[in-house]
Amino acid sequence: MKPTVAAWVAEYKPKKVVIIYDAEDAVSKGEGDGVLPVLFKQHGIEVLDKLTYRTKDTTTRAGHKAKSLARRIARLCYQNAAAIAKEMAKQASTCR
């Protein structure tokens, strides 16, 4: 993940992130709890929070909380990215 994070940081230049990961997936949990926080720290990026969801969630409270915490989100599990992005957009439209 080191080269991926380096490329992501170079492209987006985030200062703060929220890590969202699948708590039921061992790889996702390992990356979200262990790997990404260390890599972000090496790049001087502040991790505001680590949020979890469950594999079969169709909507996520994590997306709502993430929207209130930061603009950039480090996603670990691309399969659920659309559901989280939709929830964030929904929350943004109701918070105006």
Side-chain angles (χ1 to χ4, degrees):
M1 291 195 67
K2 193 172 187 174
T4 302
V5 169
W8 185 78
V9 169
E11 177 73 20
Y12 296 104
K13 299 171 183 45
K15 304 262 187 271
K16 301 175 183 179
V17 296
V18 174
I19 299 171
I20 302 175
Y21 63 90
D22 184 345
E24 294 179 352
D25 178 76
V27 173
S28 182
K29 186 175 181 181
E31 291 171 348
D33 272 342
V35 177
L36 283 177
V38 171
L39 292 176
F40 287 139
K41 184 176 181 178
Q42 289 173 356
H43 287 279
I45 299 168
E46 178 184 358
V47 176
L48 296 176
D49 206 349
K50 293 187 288 184
L51 308 175
T52 62
Y53 61 90
R54 296 175 56 124
T55 303
K56 298 195 187 297
D57 283 351
T58 56
T59 61
T60 173
R61 286 184 216 116
H64 172 69
K65 186 170 182 187
K67 184 69 178 177
S68 70
L69 290 171
R71 296 175 145 283
R72 303 266 187 224
I73 297 177
R75 286 284 309 134
L76 295 178
C77 188
Y78 65 88
Q79 294 94 332
N80 296 83
I84 291 172
K86 285 180 186 178
E87 182 64 23
M88 289 176 67
K90 178 180 163 186
Q91 295 301 327
S93 67
T94 61
C95 293
R96 293 173 193 228

